[in-house]
Amino acid sequence: MVKITLIIMETLDYSLREILQECYPHIEKLNPAQKAVLESGYLEKDENFIVAIPTASGKTLLGMMAALKTLLNGGKVVYAVPLLSIQNEKIKEFKAFEKHGIKVGRHPNSSDLSVMVFEAFDAITRFSWNTLREVDLLIVDEFHMIGEYSRGPTIECAITRSNIINQGMRVIALSATLKNMDEICGWLDAQVVEHDYRPVPLHQEVLNTEMFNTKNKNDVIVKILEKSIEDNAQALTFVSTRLFTESLAKYISGKIKRKVPVNKKKGFRKVSEKILDVPRRKGTRPTSICLKLAESVENGVAFHHAGLFAEQKEIIEDEFRSGNILMITATPSLMYGVNLPSRSVVIRDYTRWTSQGPQNIPVFDYEQMSGRAGRPQYDDVGYSYLIAKTLDETYNLQEFYVNGEVESTNSKLIENKDAVYRQIIAQVASTLAKNPVEIQEFFNKTFYGYQMQNSPYMSAFAAESLEFEINNAINFLMQNGILQATPEGLKATALGLLIAKSNYTVETAVKLKEYATQMEELDIYQLLYRLCRTPDMSLISFKGRKSKDPVREKLAGKGIFAVDMRNQEATTASLIEWIDERNEYEIENAFHVYSASTRRSAYDASLLIRFFKDMCEVMGIYAHSRDLEMLSARLYYGVKDELIPLVLGVKRLGRKRARSLVNTFGEDLRPFTEKELRKVDGIGPKLAAAIVRYARGE
């Protein structure tokens, strides 16, 4: 068996060594960064640690060394990640440990090693204290996201609350190197090990169109891909929008069509067929986006964005790792997603559209995207190319991005008003705080509080500033019936407890509460529109600048009159069509939207309807409970009212086969045999038997 390295053989427990060698057989020796971490006493000490080393330098292996040591001693471990895509990837990786009796899952109640998204771990710290107290080690992956606006406050406050409730829990943070590491380790009371070693050296460069005698950045990317093909390598290109991923993939695909090696063509066609098979298996014709993607993939170029079917994104990721795709054009969100290294990374767009207009991306984001270059086990060097147009622009980008320093990581807790509301509700609902003073004590222990108190500019008025923010937030929550003052102190109302136990924003809850109090009769279409205007709905986007009149007409026909046609309106119209049993192909053609995300939005809406139903009931509104249950089911299954009993009664039947059954035999299926039922396309022996049992009421 491959020996991981002498230092491990000498210092690690035999059982731990055996598991590592079996689960990571490709690792022949530790790299300098990993050695530096182990030599710091990382496995021997009980202290918190921040491991800050570059992308692809083996942070996960280091995390698993500490995890396995804890697990072999009978402890429990939580591995916290920011995104669902990373959670899925890590669970798949860690499943190898189950051969050694270690149960891997998504929750500590049912697992020894739990991989949890930040929000799920935060929920444990709020209400599952017995579970939290059983956790011996918390590993936080992508810890640098503590400075990100939406997810940063969640993990920041979850760690803070954990330190109060389970003081014996060790924290290991796996991070990119950050500028203000001293400040972060001071808050976390952690030892820091930083190292700049990359297993694959990274060459960063700014190219410009003038070097290639062209005015088009895309032609520069074509040249980079042609060189990659010659070197039998792959490339990943970042652009700013979904439309740009598609147009760039189409452009490059057309340009390299004749230069793709013949021996690769067959493999590309197979990937293309897989792409087209996804919508067919879902009972819909391929949308124009599916066809566009499949056409580009035939020449080895794929685009990747949120408007694709989830299964299509997975196919692209898996086939890219297998070497069956030459280039992926992607939005910047992929830099935090699944692990997709390539020899070359191209950053075509260094601006991003914000509410203040186009803004340059931070140096930190540039470093994250660049860090994708260079595949351990495959490449001996990685190349990152930022594309400019002129020589002057090249010089400026070189100074700002390649030679520049990453920005300081600062807490976004107070900037994110909803995070402040939610953490106050959590503290009160969990009985950790009963008054503003105790709430302020909690906030003082957060990273935000640490930064404020230790800043030479802010410390003088930190307490007053925080007190002002907390009092304003408490007043808002009391005015909206979420908190109430009692002789014993602040308490959460029934509505407040419902919000605290959910992962929905306070803004969503307040908007739905207002609608519930004004609602005389239940109008499901108006309700869907209200849902789509909350921050918790995943929206279906317009594809481009085609006429939005079809959306306007659909909404007007249901009594919804909107001035602007935005993604909220597109989503509402799409969901109305979805519960009328339209498929993705039909929805895309009707409204010119990225309809592949319809099922995701419908699922979110289904859960939000259940939340709204629960909210109505804690407010004493019971008249619409059954209708809301029905609407939730219709959204989940994408069917009309009359099919609900059938799709609920027969597992895995689905909307398409259920409709075919009713159209063929009617709603009463009792007179029909299994043999007759199997005449319907897609219904085999097992499903036919299940339908007969359902029809007979068994």
Side-chain angles (χ1 to χ4, degrees), residues 308-320:
L308 301 177
F309 287 103
E311 295 87 344
Q312 289 175 332
K313 289 189 283 187
E314 194 173 329
I315 289 167
I316 292 166
E317 293 157 11
D318 289 344
E319 296 293 347
F320 188 74

Side-chain angles (χ1 to χ4, degrees), residues 5 29-30 43 148 210 319 341 390 398 413 479 486 514 573 576 635 640:
T5 191
K29 62 180 181 178
L30 289 182
L43 290 180
E148 193 260 344
E210 293 178 10
E319 296 293 347
T390 64
Q398 182 82 23
L413 177 56
Q479 287 166 10
T486 73
E514 287 173 357
I576 291 170
L635 285 160
K640 296 178 181 177

